Amino acid sequence: MKCRVCKGAAVIDVRRHNAAFCKEHFVHHCDEQVRRAVHSHRMLEPGERVLVAVSGGKDSLALWDILVRLGYEADGLYLGLGIGEYSDESGDYTRAFAQQLGRPLHEVDLGADAGYTIPEAAAVTRRSPCGACGLSKRHLFNSVAIERGYDVVATGHNLDDEAAVLLGNVLRWDTGYLGRQHPVLPATPGFVRKVKPLVRLGERETAAYCVLQGIDYQVEECPMAAGNRHLGYKEVLNALEDRSPGSKAAFLFGFLERGHERFAGEAEHERDELGECSVCGAPTPGTVCAFCRLRSQVGAIELPVELKVR
Ligand code: Q46
Ligand code: ZN
Ligand code: ZN
């Protein structure tokens, strides 16, 4: 196996691109994929302050590393989810990497700062932990970015994640989600811009990137992910990709180029109908936002009597 660029010994092949790379040119390949994603979707402007949502896993640490090397002013935000040993270790990997990188890391601990952990929220609401987790992340990434003066939140969703989400949305023909599924969600009143600069890299590539760059990351999957629908979608897509390399990318990029626009109106319609949460002021379609409702359900805050009936 020879490097496509320098013909030296390759350390990894990327079947989707029908190419293999040595270490130096693989790192360059990853940089280029991020650069292309950022430019073609106008994710970031020079001089903007970027808040990278870091979990301690390969994707978010690779993203942070690449953005800093590409010259962006990118700081980290780590959310302690309170998922036992898994969260303790994830926090350790994240802090160690922030030190290595020499960039500021903001931390929010759900238990100490919001009054609940993910396992507690799942038990009280009797819903899936990922539901409570997803809504907490969406709320806090946004509110911390606004409070601390960041222009944009970047998350480590990669090609595999986005293709799996797309498959789920298509299987249900969820037109609202299809309208919102894009590597850039522009800023709207009460929301900073959200971007996914890793959409052009698969998870095998982000893992290899970390190993080659000496980035130690949390290899364990979240113990609460078991039974998560996306894992099933990923398996199906991996089977397809195995038979015909490139199908995952064709599925996702074809949608972004030719399908997304047709659903975008749905998402705008939903956004137009948002008011302000009467507890925290965040944009919400109801009177109290989902985050504050969750906090009241777990007993972390008391809602005013007139709001409880809803
Ligand atoms: S961290 Fe949270 Fe994931 Fe764990 S509880 Fe589910 S959503 S699986 S990315
Ligand atoms: Zn090379
Ligand atoms: Zn609220």
Side-chain angles (χ1 to χ4, degrees):
M1 215 167 55
K2 286 192 177 146
C3 171
R4 173 198 260 183
V5 186
C6 69
K7 312 292 176 230
V11 291
I12 181 169
D13 69 321
V14 184
R15 284 179 70 201
R16 180 174 85 257
H17 290 286
N18 199 13
F21 300 100
C22 68
K23 178 186 166 184
E24 180 192 339
H25 292 118
F26 177 68
V27 170
H28 180 74
H29 155 82
C30 294
D31 289 354
E32 273 315 296
Q33 296 306 313
V34 170
R35 211 193 299 265
R36 276 181 69 179
V38 167
H39 286 179
S40 63
H41 297 290
R42 300 175 153 212
M43 293 184 183
L44 307 170
E45 299 292 336
E48 281 188 323
R49 295 187 72 215
V50 187
L51 189 62
V52 184
V54 277
S55 67
K58 60 192 187 316
D59 302 310
S60 55
L61 296 188
L63 171 61
W64 197 7
D65 192 60
I66 295 174
L67 289 179
V68 168
R69 279 192 313 94
L70 292 181
Y72 291 100
E73 196 189 322
D75 301 338
L77 168 60
Y78 173 74
L79 216 60
L81 302 172
I83 307 177
E85 226 170 84
Y86 168 76
S87 287
D88 297 341
E89 287 179 12
S90 305
D92 291 344
Y93 282 109
T94 308
R95 283 175 216 114
F97 181 66
Q99 277 234 319
Q100 193 177 321
L101 196 60
R103 295 294 308 184
L105 174 69
H106 301 276
E107 290 198 45
V108 175
D109 185 78
L110 270 187
D113 301 326
Y116 64 90
T117 63
I118 294 305
E120 283 163 9
V124 172
T125 57
R126 300 214 202 116
R127 296 230 305 263
S128 87
C130 296
C133 185
L135 90 80
S136 310
K137 286 177 181 170
R138 277 192 297 280
H139 181 92
L140 289 162
F141 291 163
N142 189 61
S143 61
V144 171
I146 292 176
E147 276 164 33
R148 306 192 186 176
Y150 288 90
D151 304 293
V152 51
V153 169
T155 55
H157 296 97
N158 59 37
L159 171 59
D160 297 73
D161 298 324
E162 291 301 293
V165 170
L166 177 61
L167 181 58
N169 289 340
V170 167
L171 288 174
R172 287 186 296 278
W173 288 113
D174 194 324
T175 52
Y177 281 135
L178 286 166
R180 258 174 282 147
Q181 182 164 8
H182 199 268
V184 180
L185 282 183
T188 49
F191 289 113
V192 296
R193 189 182 335 128
K194 314 242 165 43
V195 300
K196 299 171 180 170
L198 296 186
V199 278
R200 302 187 59 89
L201 287 173
E203 56 192 24
R204 196 173 145 264
E205 287 154 274
T206 59
Y209 177 89
C210 287
V211 171
L212 293 170
Q213 291 286 79
I215 300 173
D216 265 345
Y217 61 90
Q218 165 71 291
V219 178
E220 297 295 313
E221 291 291 335
C222 170
M224 308 232 138
N228 184 320
R229 276 197 301 244
H230 286 142
L231 292 182
Y233 299 149
K234 279 190 177 175
E235 277 171 26
V236 170
L237 289 169
N238 284 341
L240 279 175
E241 183 76 18
D242 225 30
R243 289 188 179 200
S244 52
S247 42
K248 237 184 258 181
F251 179 51
L252 180 65
F253 301 143
F255 165 73
L256 294 177
E257 278 157 30
R258 300 186 294 280
H260 172 262
E261 195 52 37
R262 300 172 196 229
F263 301 97
E266 293 278 329
E268 269 162 33
H269 182 64
E270 285 176 17
R271 238 178 287 153
D272 286 344
E273 294 182 345
L274 297 180
E276 275 186 11
C277 168
S278 45
V279 180
C280 73
T284 173
T287 327
V288 179
C289 77
F291 178 69
C292 290
R293 270 187 280 133
L294 179 59
R295 289 188 75 198
S296 98
Q297 268 182 296
V298 296
I301 54 168
E302 182 82 15
L303 290 183
V305 187
E306 68 276 15
L307 297 177
K308 278 190 186 162
V309 272
R310 285 186 63 98

